[in-house]
Amino acid sequence: MEQAAALRAGAFSAIDRENLAEEIETLGRSQLSSLVSAWRVVLLHMLKFDHQPDRRSRSWALSIRDRRDQAADVLADSPGLKRRLDEAMVRAYRGARLDAARETGLPLRVFPEECPYSRDEMLTRDFPIDPRT
């Protein structure tokens, strides 16, 4: 808080540059981690939706919608992340693939090593589910 106050006051000699730089980097990593986490769940449910059609559920579709909204909020709050979207998607898919194998009981090799979805598909694909499920 002191560093923010000094920065706002223009008291640049009072700023601990190393500490301030570290705080900014930590915030950036935290926001990237939030984005990756949200997209990981989206991709996990997409993989499960595609590889277990007999188990599709309304909760998967709702989870996808919820996490898409969460990711959109992170990006709105941190527009600087836009240059790291490809990196975020790679990280998210790497985890989603492992989660999908663990949660479905299917062999890891069933799930492609590289993400089979485009970013646009991840963010906009519709998941129609029978409302009775």
Side-chain angles (χ1 to χ4, degrees), residues 43 47 50-51 89 93 111-118 121:
L43 291 167
L47 288 168
D50 290 344
H51 291 277
M89 192 161 173
Y93 182 73
F111 304 100
E113 285 189 34
E114 295 204 13
C115 186
Y117 312 111
S118 68
E121 184 178 11

Side-chain angles (χ1 to χ4, degrees), residues 16-102:
D16 178 346
R17 291 184 313 201
E18 287 303 313
N19 182 42
L20 185 57
E22 186 175 318
E23 289 294 325
I24 291 169
E25 288 170 350
T26 298
L27 179 60
R29 283 190 300 271
S30 175
Q31 292 299 91
L32 178 64
S33 179
S34 293
L35 178 63
V36 168
S37 177
W39 280 358
R40 181 176 178 158
V41 173
V42 170
L43 291 167
L44 166 63
H45 288 302
M46 289 178 75
L47 288 168
K48 288 168 46 172
F49 196 92
D50 290 344
H51 291 277
Q52 292 187 306
D54 56 321
R55 294 189 171 200
R56 290 176 180 166
S57 72
R58 185 172 185 268
S59 69
W60 291 352
L62 293 173
S63 179
I64 288 169
R65 184 182 313 151
D66 177 61
R67 294 304 177 106
R68 281 176 174 168
D69 288 347
Q70 182 183 8
D73 290 345
V74 170
L75 286 170
D77 291 344
S78 300
L81 285 177
K82 288 184 179 161
R83 69 181 191 281
R84 299 185 73 185
L85 296 181
D86 291 338
E87 174 189 353
M89 192 161 173
V90 167
R91 288 183 183 193
Y93 182 73
R94 184 176 58 228
R97 180 176 179 253
L98 294 172
D99 292 343
R102 185 176 29 77

Side-chain angles (χ1 to χ4, degrees), residues 97-98 101 106-112:
R97 180 176 179 253
L98 294 172
L106 297 170
L108 184 61
R109 69 178 177 278
V110 168
F111 304 100

